[in-house]
Amino acid sequence: MTNHASPHPVRIATVTVARSDFGIYLPVLRKIAATDWAQPLVIAGAAHLSNRHGHTADWIVSEGFSIDAEVPITDQTDNAVGVAIGCAEAIQGFAKAFDQLKPDAIMLLGDRFEMHAAAVAAVPFGIPIIHLHGGEITQGAIDESYRHSITKLSHVHFASTRAYADRIIQMGEDPRRVFVSGAPGLDHLADFEPWSIDQLATKLDLSLDQRPLSITFHPETLCDRDSQTQVRYLIDAISDLDVPMVISQPNADPGNQAILEQWTEFANARPNRVRLVANLGTQGYFSLLHHAASMVGNSSSGIIEAASFHLPVVNIGERQQGRIHAENVVDVGFDSEAIKAAIARTSSPQFRSGLQTLRNPYGDGTASDHIVGTLRKLMQRPLSVRKPFFDLPATPHRPSSHPVTKVA
């Protein structure tokens, strides 16, 4: 590992591969940039560089950050073969970026296959990995496996809840390197001033005579139904609703193109009521959550951020199954009538009035302070990449050792 000892700033390279993770990183990046002991580097790849996904690398630059390295991935990750090939390309690209930048540590978030590729590429370099949002469960997505694998490749962990931190330790990670920070995405709310409903309507070029529905639906990649069938249940449920709808494009999971095509057809047939957007930015997206009647779909945002807006959520399917959530979330299966009923229920004034004292289990919006403050202490000297396995104490149901079966 390269040792940029004091007084030289510690070089922390943040890997960002999509609009969703960059919005979460942003408060942390701003805190790092404001220090005198660390230098933030940004490695942008995958969907950020794709015109089909809105070329959100422009958003990174607009926030005042330079892109220190780019890792393009073939924009054909709409099936299993494409994802596997994309992983291979990403490992090569991240390896070249690490060799060029020689960071003192890299920061990864969550569970994307591109993030996993970055972690794999970092191992031979001996670069310490800082992992955000580990320990969480999303039983309906292949991201579940990537997340836990990234945990085992990482050296410092910032979990969004105590339960997730405990799970990271259960996986054998050293408790001295596991910290409960809360969810960094909530830090945007500290000084957030939403656009007015008229400003939001102007930005969207959409009449907002009623509270809109905020809709985000990603492929459920461990589902026995294909993504086209999955989204049809939702489309059938909302087809007859005469309310404004703002639909976010799906992320780059296998099956995303089929969903995007159906949303495009749906929006084009309802130009006065529906708007399909690639990226609203943090200010625009949070303004939408502030004014929305409810959020519908299967986005992690409905689990993590929505509670801070006291926003009702209809969570469809099993993509987010296993994640901790507050009482604003109503879980529903792939059933059009059930989805329609849940939308009606959560959009009612009675349901919303019951959420006024809601507490978000993902923290109070100070995660970036915890993360950057902890890293400052940890990185006063080079982080070790040695990882002793932490064994939990023995219990009656889990003895400390197991008998060895001898092979004759």
Side-chain angles (χ1 to χ4, degrees), residues 6 60 126 175 180 186 205 220 227 233 235 292 316 335 344 349 365:
S6 179
I60 299 172
V180 180
L186 300 181
D205 189 24
E220 186 176 304
S227 59
Y233 290 103
I235 290 175
I316 301 169
D335 181 299

Side-chain angles (χ1 to χ4, degrees), residues 318-339:
E318 297 182 356
R319 183 180 175 90
Q320 303 299 336
Q321 186 175 354
R323 265 193 167 137
I324 295 167
H325 63 69
E327 294 80 10
N328 62 315
V329 178
V330 174
D331 294 314
V332 64
F334 287 114
D335 181 299
S336 297
E337 291 303 315
I339 295 169

Side-chain angles (χ1 to χ4, degrees), residues 172-304:
E173 296 301 292
D174 187 342
R176 295 171 298 179
R177 294 282 186 93
V178 181
F179 306 91
V180 180
S181 63
L186 300 181
D187 291 18
H188 291 288
L189 299 175
D191 55 1
F192 170 68
E193 290 293 335
W195 292 337
S196 69
I197 192 71
D198 291 336
Q199 287 175 307
L200 182 60
T202 299
K203 295 285 186 180
L204 292 168
D205 189 24
L206 181 69
S207 173
L208 298 179
D209 54 334
Q210 304 175 54
R211 285 181 177 267
L213 292 181
S214 172
I215 300 173
T216 305
F217 190 87
H218 304 302
E220 186 176 304
T221 46
L222 291 181
C223 183
D224 57 4
R225 303 171 178 89
D226 60 41
S227 59
Q228 183 174 352
T229 303
Q230 294 169 29
V231 77
R232 282 307 318 176
Y233 290 103
L234 173 53
I235 290 175
D236 290 345
I238 63 176
S239 290
D240 295 332
L241 297 181
D242 185 23
V243 297
M245 304 179 202
V246 182
I247 304 171
S248 300
Q249 289 187 8
N251 61 20
D253 282 332
N256 74 86
Q257 191 60 33
I259 292 175
L260 181 57
E261 288 172 359
Q262 292 201 68
W263 280 139
T264 301
E265 180 182 347
F266 181 82
N268 287 344
R270 299 164 177 80
N272 297 325
R273 280 324 230 177
V274 178
R275 197 64 72 237
L276 178 62
V277 297
N279 180 44
L280 282 173
T282 301
Q283 179 73 15
Y285 181 66
F286 278 6
S287 294
L288 173 62
L289 300 192
H290 175 80
H291 292 293
S294 65
M295 179 188 290
V296 183
N298 60 6
S299 169
S300 61
S301 181
I303 305 297
I304 297 174

Side-chain angles (χ1 to χ4, degrees), residues 367-405:
S368 57
D369 286 330
H370 291 300
I371 292 168
V372 177
T374 300
L375 288 177
R376 180 174 186 173
K377 294 175 183 177
L378 289 176
M379 301 189 75
Q380 289 179 354
R381 62 185 66 183
L383 280 173
S384 173
V385 293
R386 292 179 180 270
K387 290 187 55 165
F389 194 96
F390 179 77
D391 284 310
L392 296 176
T395 68
H397 301 290
R398 189 184 53 77
S400 58
S401 61
H402 301 278
V404 176
T405 301

